[in-house]
Amino acid sequence: PGPGTPEARFQVLSTRDEHSLVSLRRGGSHLAVAVFESRVGLFDDAARELESLRQLNPGSTVVAALLDEARRAAATSRRP
């Protein structure tokens, strides 16, 4: 990676959390996955799930508010 490359960040989930996440993803609920990802600190992933949910429900103010909150949490978590 060069000097202009963004810092790589990752998070290691416990085996239990990984199994829970896989199970939730199989269920197909963007909201359930986003809530779980937020709880374990995967804010960027949660925002992506909520963006998918917003595309399916473009008029939902609740989804829009959750997406804004997830994006703020993601931005805050990236700060040093």
Side-chain angles (χ1 to χ4, degrees):
T5 305
E7 180 180 318
R9 291 182 166 238
F10 64 93
Q11 183 169 337
V12 177
L13 295 178
S14 69
T15 302
R16 179 179 169 194
D17 285 345
E18 178 65 24
H19 287 281
S20 295
L21 185 55
V22 167
S23 177
L24 286 169
R25 285 185 176 152
R26 283 186 189 138
S29 170
H30 293 292
L31 181 59
V33 172
V35 167
F36 181 83
E37 288 172 335
S38 292
R39 286 186 178 163
V40 296
L42 300 172
F43 301 115
D44 287 316
D45 294 340
R48 281 191 290 276
E49 285 293 329
L50 289 167
E51 181 60 42
S52 295
L53 184 59
R54 187 176 67 98
Q55 290 175 5
L56 295 171
N57 301 279
S60 173
T61 57
V62 173
V63 173
L66 290 171
L67 178 57
D68 288 343
E69 188 175 329
R71 286 178 174 160
R72 279 193 302 275
T76 301
S77 72
R78 284 189 226 109
R79 292 184 189 146

